[in-house]
Amino acid sequence: MKNDVKEVLLTEDDIQEICRTLGEKLTADYQGKDLFCVGILKGSVLFMTDLIKHIDLPLAIDFMDVSSYHGGTESTGEVQILKDLSSSIENKDVLIIEDILETGTTLKSITELLQSRRVNSLEIVTLLDKPNRRKADIEAKYVGKKIPDEFVIGYGLDYQEKYRNLPYIGTLKPEVYAK
Ligand code: IMP
Ligand code: MG
């Protein structure tokens, strides 16, 4: 599997440093608040487990799983909920944890949905951001690293459900896509 990797963009150490920095920032920003972390399955799982270890606050975690409807070549901008939250988020300070923000279609729909549940506040933390690909009007308040418009895998991110278990983030060799 490691032979399929063309270039490592973020090493394990880079990722841990990002988690530490973001965790410290979140700890400072959410003092005294009722923090409720929502991980978006499945890509955010590795990032979430590392990030919350650096947040020095009492917090709750939950997960959502969504799938984007892609009719033809353009995304319709709607998402289907495959797994909803297990508890109420009313009056909570909700932090969505995502692996990567690309077009923003997914997070735009999720934020609109969660906002309608009378939360106290709603923010997004994303490990990676590809700003050049944005279509929806959405930004994350907390960004680990901005990256160029290139497909990446590892540390939760997949290509055809594979490579999520790589401990770093990288790009794939062109021959992998030709298989
Ligand atoms: P968006 O709705 O276009 O912002 O898509 C975000 C979702 O697309 C992420 O949660 C990922 O599942 C997936 N995605 C976007 N870019 C990549 C990538 O470079 N590698 C793997 N998955 C990606
Ligand atoms: Mg995802």
Side-chain angles (χ1 to χ4, degrees):
M1 197 174 62
K2 290 179 177 161
N3 290 338
D4 293 348
V5 175
K6 183 174 85 178
E7 188 192 355
V8 175
L9 292 183
L10 290 179
T11 65
E12 287 187 72
D13 283 350
D14 294 337
I15 294 169
Q16 288 314 312
E17 188 53 38
I18 288 170
C19 290
R20 186 175 7 259
T21 306
L22 287 174
E24 284 169 5
K25 180 102 179 76
L26 290 163
T27 302
D29 288 2
Y30 283 90
Q31 285 295 320
K33 298 249 174 89
D34 200 0
L35 185 56
F36 190 101
C37 297
V38 175
I40 309 302
L41 295 172
K42 299 172 240 179
S44 73
V45 169
L46 279 78
F47 175 47
M48 184 174 194
T49 55
D50 281 338
L51 176 66
I52 62 172
K53 286 181 246 178
H54 293 284
I55 304 177
D56 187 15
L57 293 171
L59 61 82
I61 63 167
D62 204 344
F63 297 93
M64 272 187 102
D65 194 4
V66 297
S67 85
S68 305
Y69 285 120
H70 291 288
T73 54
E74 285 292 298
S75 166
T76 59
E78 288 171 49
V79 297
Q80 181 188 11
I81 299 177
L82 303 177
K83 184 221 169 293
D84 205 339
L85 298 174
S86 308
S87 57
S88 166
I89 51 172
E90 193 170 339
N91 294 325
K92 307 267 167 142
D93 292 286
V94 177
L95 178 68
I96 297 173
I97 302 183
E98 182 57 303
D99 50 1
I100 187 165
L101 177 54
E102 195 183 24
T103 65
T105 311
T106 314
L107 278 178
K108 180 82 180 168
S109 305
I110 292 174
T111 50
E112 278 171 5
L113 175 71
L114 297 188
Q115 200 82 61
S116 73
R117 295 180 184 177
R118 294 191 289 258
V119 295
N120 190 52
S121 70
L122 184 65
E123 297 293 351
I124 298 166
V125 56
T126 185
L127 174 62
L128 302 174
D129 184 9
K130 286 185 197 170
N132 295 342
R133 294 274 297 163
R134 201 81 80 251
K135 286 185 196 159
D137 175 26
I138 188 152
E139 294 302 333
K141 178 167 182 186
Y142 304 95
V143 175
K145 176 113 178 140
K146 285 186 180 161
I147 60 164
D149 178 17
E150 228 183 328
F151 193 81
V152 292
I153 47 83
Y155 195 67
L157 291 149
D158 72 303
Y159 171 62
Q160 296 185 345
E161 292 300 324
K162 287 190 289 186
Y163 306 103
R164 292 192 197 273
N165 52 326
L166 286 174
Y168 47 77
I169 289 173
T171 53
L172 288 171
K173 291 177 182 165
E175 56 263 37
V176 177
Y177 302 109
K179 274 179 199 167

